[in-house]
Amino acid sequence: MVVRESEDGHVWPAVEVGLLGALWLRVDGVEVAVPGERRRALLALLTVAGRHGMGIGRLVDALWGDDLPREPIAALHNLVSRLRRHLGRHADLLERRPDGYRLRVSVVDVTIVRDLLASAADTPDPAERLRLTVRARELWRGEPLGEFAGIPDLDTERVALEDLHNRLADTHVEALVECRDPSATATARAGVASAPLRESSARLLIRALAADGRVGDAMAVAMNFREQLRERTGLDPSPALASLEQRVAAGSEYGQAETNPGPGVTSRRRPAPPAGPLVGRERERAEIIRLLSAHRVVTLTGTGGVGKTSLALDVAADPAVFPGNAVVVVNLAAVARADRVLPSVVSTLGLEVGVGASVDAIARAVDGSLLLVLDNCEHVLSSCRELVAAIVELAPAVRILATSRVVLSLSAEYVLRLQPLTFPTRVDDVDAVARQPAVRAFVEHALRRNPDFAVSSRELTDLVDVVRRVDGLPLGIELAARQAAVMPMSAVARMLDGALDLATGTGADDQRRLTLRSSIDMSFRRLSVVDQAVLAALAPFPGGVSLRTFESVALSVEAEVVGAAGIGTRGDGGLDPVETLHRLIDSSLLVADASGGRYRLLHLIRTHLLDHLDRAGVLAAAEDRFLDECVATVRDIGDEWLGVAEFEANERLHAEMDNLRSARDLALARGRVDVLVAITTSLSLISTWRNLNELWTWAVESARSAWLDGHPDRAEMLSAAAEAARLVGEFDLAVDFATSALRPDASGAPPDPDAPALVGARAARAAVAHFRGDFAVAVREWTRCGTHPSLGSAFLASAALAASYSGDSSGAARLLAEARSTLDPSAGPSQHAFLDYVHGELLSAHDPSSALALYERAHERAAGVGATFIVGVARVGAAACLVRVGDVARAAEAYVVLLGAWRDSGQPTQLWTTARDAAALLRVRGRIDVADLLVECADLDPAAAFDTRRGAADRAFGDLVHADNTVHADTEVVLDRAMRELREIRESTSSDDRGSSAAR
């Protein structure tokens, strides 16, 4: 603690903060005013965060929410600087840390109250307890953190402080009752009045009345509470109330403390907290405490190494958690057999029961206000389940916190699944990397072994790779951090090829001296033979599986195993993959994303299972099943996106990309040409409107492969590649592929040029002609594509667009009307959106307001199903209309976003079309130089579309002018400058508008 000694010898804490009422700050004993809502909120946040501090991202989110300033990091730094000024000569106590800020507060009133309450819980003397609670209550000045409503972190803390206040009130009333204080009844009655449905307050009032000899009044309070609770919530009171009523009625209740442990429970201190750092578990820790307050049994579950034991011990060791309860931890990791569970519990608790006592007898002996932690239940699950069930029934004052890789499956159980620590996926933002829990945990562990440990900026990539490859598992992070304390991060990353075999522990006898492999294998071996086979079959899927794929794999594998081994199935003789799914999730080996409907293996578990398949000689078979499932998936997606299930198909496509990447690489290595063909042809049409550059590249690469010659699907593959090539701006290549697709095959038989499978070839020809200004060819080819059974309307709308650009407005209107009349009402939303976009293009020149409405509807429909291409072109059209209607600020903002998006998605044709529109706005606003540079860059790129505003002669002249010249300016530099100047136009226009409004 930092303190200051005054001239008269009085010692003042350097910095004191009060949270229990209106926020106050004292520096060297003098109260300092802290103005400003955000400054006060920052002080509260850092005080609540304590010695761990708070990350920059979390602070920004808490202080600004959705209303972010233009430069949020700079705004935060400015706010911190202002708060530092209030600390005077102790400004250095507000420290900048790698992941954020920390305020080293000397004294916090909340901490004093918690310490006083813990001391009161530890003392058997009721008079001393009363003295301590009186002191604590004096510090409570009003509603804590009330001025910060709406800030999530402080709202959570306020709930915790309300719980602290309730526990303090209970402890105070209980001390009054035990001291026979005449104010006990009135104080208890005030507590019931403030919280009429809080059972602990009602029980204390009953005890106070009973201690006064007012048995009838006490029983009336119990009856009234029971009736109110039923009437207002439909719930019954806990068994503890019935037990208290019996004691009062029998005349045996004279103020005995309810918080004493049962008669057989050994009196003991709190268990020691975990030895290592506990990082990134603040929310889970608070959730455990909340759940234990509301539920008798809470099971903390998760895969091996995720930190269940550490978190449970941290909760159990905190004197502020259930301060009136005894807390006992039973370490079941040391119990080898199920029949040793009960003796271990008896000996740990010091219960006075006979040898061989039944589980019911043990449960009754445990009864009393106790938090019982059963750690590592998974290998003795049946015995733990039996014990917990008996305690729930026979020991109403006992709460149980269990840790287990497998849930207990009891009706009274509340399950909290502990996930690995989150880790960064990018390294471009150093602050973002540093505040991720997995990185913070790594640094904390490394510092414990090497106080000088630090990560340089060039080592960030290796560090992120390390925490990613151990899946953010705290055990894996600890193992890797041990190595980082003695070697460079690059060496640690190389060592992770054997990450499963890294060991922890301090000696040969240390129970924690185990490897990640052995930890995973212990869980795997506890599964049934069928469940082991199903789980292992999921290993080749790096992106996880959908429920549909899981059911397919499970049914196939279960049938194989059952048939080969002759083992039994469910009682009705059938297989139930959903039950298998539940068992694997409950074993903590399979991770469920219920909202997204995906199920995946952690990287380390997947690696272990791939090794298992390889050793068993069945890896190739598992990989073949994986490839077959990927083929089935892409065919489903290719069919479903065309109709009302387009949203689900789009979601599934993006979720399956990791699997498809792996499948493509594996198919190339294994010669599975059928897989490559299925991926390319099934996803060709859906990818056209979805900026999936990767799929387009795959199609082009496949079209250039030697294996395609003579293949029966050669024409369809080339057709898909033609569309892909034109999407990436390779117009000549697109025409070559399209021409090849429509040539006779090796047998000399000409393909049907109007076959739906070859629509990509004709559509590519049309698009290239359109972008090169040959609108007549574009209209002819797209009209011919209009016979396609699923996308004919979209191709007719494209023909309408080409006709309008050629000046044939009546032809364009006719084609669009035909497109609308032939569009199936059940077609996917993206097709409806595309027709809205084309309609907007036809109206934009003479009716920009109506066009804007159509663009906005197209945007909304397309965005809802992930059709990002249509979103982009609709926004381009809308931006041009915004200029026409005088909304320059919104137009400039739209062009900034669009230029960046087209550049990032690798679509040069759309990029330069947008750039030319943006150049027109820049020119109108006097930014001539950058406008000319933008147009010049567009003219020099062969992927740019024909500029209808300049005409063919101007474009040809421009090509001649630049034929012998080098590029006048770097494209990236020009785009960056253009976006910067568009931002300036947006800001200046917005300022002018605000000024005009103020003047009005």
Side-chain angles (χ1 to χ4, degrees):
M1 179 190 297
V2 182
V3 297
R4 176 184 70 85
E5 185 172 348
S6 64
E7 294 180 359
D8 60 1
H10 188 83
V11 176
W12 295 101
V15 176
E16 301 171 85
V17 178
L19 302 177
L20 301 177
L23 179 76
W24 55 253
L25 169 69
R26 290 195 191 111
V27 179
D28 290 334
V30 178
E31 190 158 339
V32 176
V34 180
E37 292 180 8
R38 284 203 177 93
R39 210 177 313 176
R40 293 175 65 79
L42 176 62
L43 174 60
L45 285 163
L46 292 176
T47 303
V48 168
R51 63 185 181 86
H52 297 295
M54 188 171 286
I56 289 175
R58 195 165 157 196
L59 283 169
V60 169
D61 289 343
L63 292 167
W64 282 278
D66 295 331
D67 187 24
L68 288 176
R70 285 184 57 193
E71 301 291 341
I73 305 300
L76 176 62
H77 292 338
N78 183 44
L79 198 63
V80 169
S81 297
R82 294 181 182 180
L83 182 56
R84 278 198 176 111
R85 294 190 195 117
H86 297 304
L87 302 179
R89 65 192 186 93
H90 300 300
D92 59 324
L93 296 181
L94 205 173
E95 301 171 340
R96 178 74 164 89
R97 310 192 80 201
D99 58 343
Y101 290 95
R102 176 177 73 173
L103 177 60
R104 291 167 53 205
V105 181
S106 306
V107 175
V108 183
D109 55 1
V110 174
T111 304
I112 297 174
V113 169
R114 284 183 173 139
D115 289 345
L116 289 169
L117 191 55
S119 297
D122 286 342
T123 180
D125 180 5
E128 176 62 12
R129 258 187 283 141
L130 183 58
R131 185 184 68 80
L132 293 169
T133 58
V134 167
R135 282 184 56 198
R137 284 162 62 88
E138 288 171 350
L139 294 174
W140 215 285
R141 298 169 286 109
E143 182 187 4
L145 303 173
E147 62 186 286
F148 305 113
I151 298 178
D153 286 287
L154 297 181
D155 286 342
T156 300
E157 180 66 12
R158 184 164 56 254
V159 171
L161 292 178
E162 287 172 1
D163 179 66
L164 177 66
H165 187 261
N166 290 335
R167 289 188 284 112
L168 173 60
D170 286 353
T171 306
H172 179 66
V173 171
E174 186 174 66
L176 289 171
V177 171
E178 292 185 40
C179 291
R180 300 292 194 269
D181 190 288
S183 66
T185 300
T187 308
R189 198 179 295 281
V192 170
S194 64
L197 298 183
R198 190 162 177 268
E199 184 176 317
S200 61
S201 299
R203 292 203 307 263
L204 285 166
L205 176 56
I206 293 166
R207 292 180 58 207
L209 290 167
D212 284 346
R214 298 163 62 183
V215 174
D217 290 343
M219 299 301 287
V221 168
M223 183 181 297
N224 182 59
F225 175 78
R226 192 182 299 277
E227 290 175 353
Q228 276 198 75
L229 189 65
R230 271 199 199 120
E231 182 182 334
R232 294 171 64 176
T233 70
L235 301 175
D236 289 323
S238 75
L241 181 65
S243 176
L244 177 60
E245 286 178 288
Q246 291 173 3
R247 296 199 304 272
V248 171
S252 59
E253 177 60 39
Y254 295 106
Q256 179 184 0
E258 289 190 303
T259 55
N260 287 338
V265 178
T266 302
S267 177
R268 59 183 65 238
R269 298 177 63 83
R270 291 264 172 168
L278 193 69
V279 177
R281 294 298 192 197
E282 294 83 4
R283 291 187 180 180
E284 292 92 340
R285 188 182 188 281
E287 183 67 0
I288 290 173
I289 296 169
R290 186 188 71 79
L291 291 174
L292 281 170
S293 300
H295 302 276
R296 295 281 310 284
V297 182
V298 175
T299 298
L300 188 57
T301 189
T303 191
V306 80
K308 301 181 293 294
T309 295
S310 295
L311 184 54
L313 290 179
D314 187 74
V315 170
D318 187 350
V321 176
F322 298 113
N325 290 41
V327 179
V328 179
V329 177
V330 180
N331 179 17
L332 296 173
V335 178
R337 304 195 325 251
D339 62 354
R340 296 298 305 159
V341 170
L342 295 183
S344 177
V345 170
V346 168
S347 61
T348 304
L349 291 172
L351 300 178
E352 297 176 359
V353 296
V355 176
S358 68
V359 66
D360 286 357
I362 292 171
R364 289 190 185 95
V366 172
D367 195 14
S369 293
L370 170 70
L371 174 60
L372 177 62
V373 180
L374 298 177
D375 190 27
N376 293 293
C377 297
E378 58 273 353
H379 62 298
V380 285
L381 198 67
S382 59
S383 295
C384 290
R385 185 183 298 121
E386 183 182 16
L387 173 65
V388 172
I391 290 175
V392 169
E393 180 182 359
L394 302 171
V398 177
R399 297 182 185 276
I400 297 170
L401 174 60
T403 74
S404 177
R405 299 181 194 183
V406 185
V407 298
L408 300 177
S409 298
L410 292 170
S411 58
E413 175 185 32
Y414 198 99
V415 176
L416 179 63
R417 297 190 185 279
L418 196 59
Q419 302 296 334
L421 297 174
T422 56
F423 50 84
T425 55
R426 301 166 27 168
V427 296
D428 51 348
D429 185 341
V430 176
D431 283 338
V433 171
R435 65 175 173 257
Q436 289 291 329
V439 174
R440 289 165 48 208
F442 187 98
V443 172
E444 290 278 353
H445 278 294
L447 286 170
R448 288 171 65 85
R449 292 185 170 269
N450 177 8
D452 297 323
F453 174 79
V455 179
S456 65
S457 57
R458 60 185 176 81
E459 291 181 307
L460 277 180
T461 300
D462 286 327
L463 189 152
V464 170
D465 183 48
V466 166
V467 296
R468 178 187 61 81
R469 288 167 67 186
V470 298
D471 290 310
L473 288 174
L475 178 59
I477 290 170
E478 179 184 353
L479 304 183
R482 293 177 69 234
Q483 314 303 323
V486 296
M487 65 182 69
M489 284 302 307
S490 57
V492 177
R494 288 194 298 271
M495 286 187 67
L496 283 188
D497 291 335
L500 283 167
D501 297 307
L502 289 175
T504 187
T506 56
D509 297 328
D510 194 327
Q511 290 178 3
R512 295 184 67 250
R513 187 174 181 80
L514 46 80
T515 65
L516 286 169
R517 186 185 300 281
S518 63
S519 175
I520 294 168
D521 198 51
M522 281 190 287
S523 294
F524 183 66
R525 284 187 282 106
R526 292 190 186 102
L527 299 176
S528 68
V529 173
V530 173
D531 287 358
Q532 285 183 3
V534 172
L535 188 73
L538 302 178
F541 294 82
V545 295
S546 64
L547 178 59
R548 192 186 313 184
T549 301
F550 180 88
E551 289 177 322
S552 174
V553 170
L555 287 171
S556 171
V557 171
E558 288 177 334
E560 289 177 9
V561 174
V562 170
I567 60 178
T569 64
R570 294 186 301 135
D572 59 6
L575 296 167
D576 188 348
V578 175
E579 286 301 316
T580 303
L581 177 66
H582 280 292
R583 288 195 300 272
L584 294 179
I585 293 170
D586 287 345
S587 73
S588 300
L589 289 170
L590 189 64
V591 178
D593 173 12
S595 61
R598 301 290 297 183
Y599 308 94
R600 65 182 179 88
L601 298 165
L602 295 179
H603 174 74
L604 291 172
I605 295 175
R606 180 170 173 264
T607 301
H608 175 75
L609 292 175
L610 289 172
D611 289 347
H612 167 79
L613 291 169
D614 195 24
R615 290 193 303 270
V618 293
L619 179 59
E623 288 176 340
D624 279 331
R625 179 183 286 108
F626 163 66
L627 292 174
D628 292 342
E629 291 292 342
C630 286
V631 169
T633 295
V634 295
R635 286 176 177 162
D636 286 344
I637 293 171
D639 291 339
E640 292 171 357
W641 85 274
L642 294 165
V644 293
E646 183 176 8
F647 173 81
E648 290 77 10
N650 178 74
E651 293 289 298
R652 194 173 179 194
L653 172 60
H654 287 279
E656 294 288 348
M657 284 304 298
D658 282 340
N659 287 336
L660 297 181
R661 293 182 188 102
S662 180
R664 183 173 181 275
D665 292 342
L666 184 59
L668 286 168
R670 300 272 297 277
R672 287 283 304 269
V673 175
D674 62 309
V675 177
L676 302 174
V677 170
I679 292 174
T680 299
T681 57
S682 299
L683 302 181
S684 174
L685 293 178
I686 187 174
S687 68
T688 300
W689 285 342
R690 279 171 176 78
N691 296 350
L692 290 170
N693 193 291
E694 190 173 12
L695 291 177
W696 307 334
T697 302
W698 292 355
V700 171
E701 289 177 357
S702 293
R704 287 170 163 164
S705 300
W707 58 260
L708 191 61
D709 293 336
H711 193 278
D713 294 311
R714 173 180 173 277
E716 188 175 358
M717 288 287 289
L718 288 170
S719 178
E723 258 298 76
R726 75 91 180 165
L727 285 165
V728 296
E730 295 281 351
F731 292 161
D732 291 338
L733 185 61
V735 172
D736 289 345
F737 283 151
T739 303
S740 297
L742 298 172
R743 281 185 191 140
D745 59 21
S747 67
D752 178 3
D754 295 318
L758 301 185
V759 72
R762 292 213 169 276
R765 278 184 168 181
V768 171
H770 178 82
F771 291 136
R772 286 178 168 171
D774 195 347
F775 298 118
V777 171
V779 170
R780 184 180 70 243
E781 292 287 355
W782 268 326
T783 302
R784 193 166 179 178
C785 294
T787 60
H788 190 275
S790 301
L791 287 172
S793 296
F795 290 125
L796 288 173
S798 296
L801 195 62
S804 73
Y805 286 3
S806 71
D808 182 6
S809 58
S810 61
R814 177 183 53 78
L815 284 165
L816 180 60
E818 184 180 354
R820 288 210 179 273
S821 68
T822 57
L823 180 63
D824 189 335
S826 65
S830 61
Q831 296 186 57
H832 292 275
F834 186 69
L835 267 62
D836 284 340
Y837 157 69
V838 172
H839 194 179
E841 288 289 282
L842 269 56
L843 296 179
S844 61
H846 61 276
D847 188 359
S849 296
S850 298
L852 265 176
L854 286 163
Y855 288 138
E856 288 172 1
R857 189 168 71 179
H859 180 289
E860 182 179 353
R861 284 174 161 175
V865 292
T868 48
F869 173 83
I870 300 175
V871 169
V873 294
R875 293 189 69 179
V876 173
C881 286
L882 287 170
V883 174
R884 293 188 183 106
V885 300
D887 196 342
V888 173
R890 284 179 62 201
E893 181 178 10
Y895 283 134
V896 170
V897 174
L898 287 162
L899 290 172
W902 292 129
R903 177 171 62 178
D904 293 343
S905 64
Q907 296 189 78
T909 306
Q910 301 305 325
L911 171 65
W912 296 123
T913 299
T914 306
R916 285 178 175 137
D917 286 352
L921 173 59
L922 287 163
R923 188 170 281 111
V924 168
R925 304 295 292 189
R927 313 288 178 119
I928 308 298
D929 289 347
V930 71
D932 288 345
L933 286 171
L934 268 183
V935 172
E936 180 180 2
C937 288
D939 289 348
L940 290 170
D941 193 328
F946 175 77
D947 188 355
T948 56
R949 286 165 295 197
R950 296 176 60 193
D954 286 347
R955 176 64 185 265
F957 177 75
D959 291 342
L960 289 173
V961 168
H962 295 302
D964 298 325
N965 294 341
T966 58
V967 177
H968 289 191
D970 181 270
T971 297
E972 294 298 319
V973 173
V974 171
L975 286 170
D976 287 340
R977 178 182 168 187
M979 287 191 285
R980 184 172 62 252
E981 297 201 23
L982 285 165
R983 290 190 191 96
E984 291 173 0
I985 290 172
R986 178 195 63 194
E987 292 300 321
S988 63
T989 308
S990 298
S991 298
D992 292 345
D993 291 343
R994 286 192 296 269
S996 299
S997 299
R1000 289 194 295 271

